[in-house]
Amino acid sequence: MPVDAEGFKRVAASWATGVTIVTSRSGDRQQGMTVSAFSEVSLDPPLFLVCADKSSITNELIAESGVFSVSILARGQEDLSNRFASKREEHRRFEGLDCTDGATGCPRVPGALAWIDCSVTRAVDAGDHVIYLARAEEAAAVDGEPLLYFRQAYGGLS
Ligand SMILES: Cc1cc2nc3c(=O)[nH]c(=O)nc-3n(C[C@H](O)[C@H](O)[C@H](O)COP(=O)(O)O)c2cc1C
């Protein structure tokens, strides 16, 4: 069966994922967006990847600065996921959030299950997205359960 846009989206949505917020900072500009296209890649050296839509503001900042931070969301953080995905008031996403800055200077989202501060080692042009392969400069995880995403709906482990 040929893969049209609707078929692509339906198949891609059948892959259950966690949910992250990827943030970046360039000069005095910061932005962050909800990202499910995230993966571990290598233990030695420690590499991860994220795929960013070329049209996103966050992509623009990552391309400029070469750094980003990934916050892996915990169960119950759907509102944050929706806030960082919505195009409405996208410049107010960080309002009221007590973020901390990691080694790269990019904001980490409070209440996350884990976070990783990354420096881009390679940017691969991939259609309407860019694949950022990046080295983990700092990372940590706390106890808790993940926020999951499957076919446009949030869920948990049980
Ligand atoms: C659950 C979920 C997962 C998403 N995953 C990605 C992703 O992997 N890559 C991406 O570029 N956008 C992804 N998006 C869409 C962006 O979060 C959205 O386009 C955002 O508004 C971009 O923000 P910006 O242009 O301000 O940077 C996802 C959205 C949702 C709700």
Side-chain angles (χ1 to χ4, degrees), residues 18-21 38 48 70-75 77 109 111-116 140 145-147:
V19 183
T20 76
I21 292 177
F38 159 80
F48 290 87
V70 181
S71 296
I72 299 176
L73 296 187
R75 187 173 191 158
Q77 292 193 298
V109 171
L113 198 56
W115 50 260
I116 311 149
E145 288 190 22
L147 179 64

Side-chain angles (χ1 to χ4, degrees), residues 78-143:
E78 299 83 327
D79 288 353
L80 267 187
S81 173
N82 289 333
R83 188 203 293 204
F84 278 81
S86 170
K87 292 287 183 192
R88 263 178 292 133
E89 303 195 294
E90 71 231 37
H91 297 293
R92 302 179 64 186
R93 285 178 186 163
F94 289 97
E95 270 186 24
L97 281 187
D98 193 12
C99 292
T100 51
D101 292 349
T104 59
C106 301
R108 296 174 192 153
V109 171
L113 198 56
W115 50 260
I116 311 149
D117 282 298
C118 296
S119 297
V120 174
T121 57
R122 199 187 308 175
V124 180
D125 187 283
D128 50 18
H129 280 57
V130 179
I131 303 169
Y132 288 105
L133 190 63
R135 181 184 178 95
E137 306 293 355
E138 259 185 17
V142 297
D143 288 344

Side-chain angles (χ1 to χ4, degrees), residues 17-20 22 31-38 50-60 81-88 90-91 93 128-130 149-150 152 154:
T17 67
V19 183
T20 76
V22 172
Q31 185 61 312
M33 67 174 174
T34 303
V35 164
S36 57
F38 159 80
V50 299
C51 301
D53 192 320
K54 284 179 182 171
S55 69
S56 66
I57 298 167
T58 308
N59 175 62
E60 195 183 315
S81 173
N82 289 333
R83 188 203 293 204
F84 278 81
S86 170
K87 292 287 183 192
R88 263 178 292 133
E90 71 231 37
H91 297 293
R93 285 178 186 163
D128 50 18
H129 280 57
V130 179
Y149 195 70
F150 175 67
Q152 277 91 47
Y154 295 104

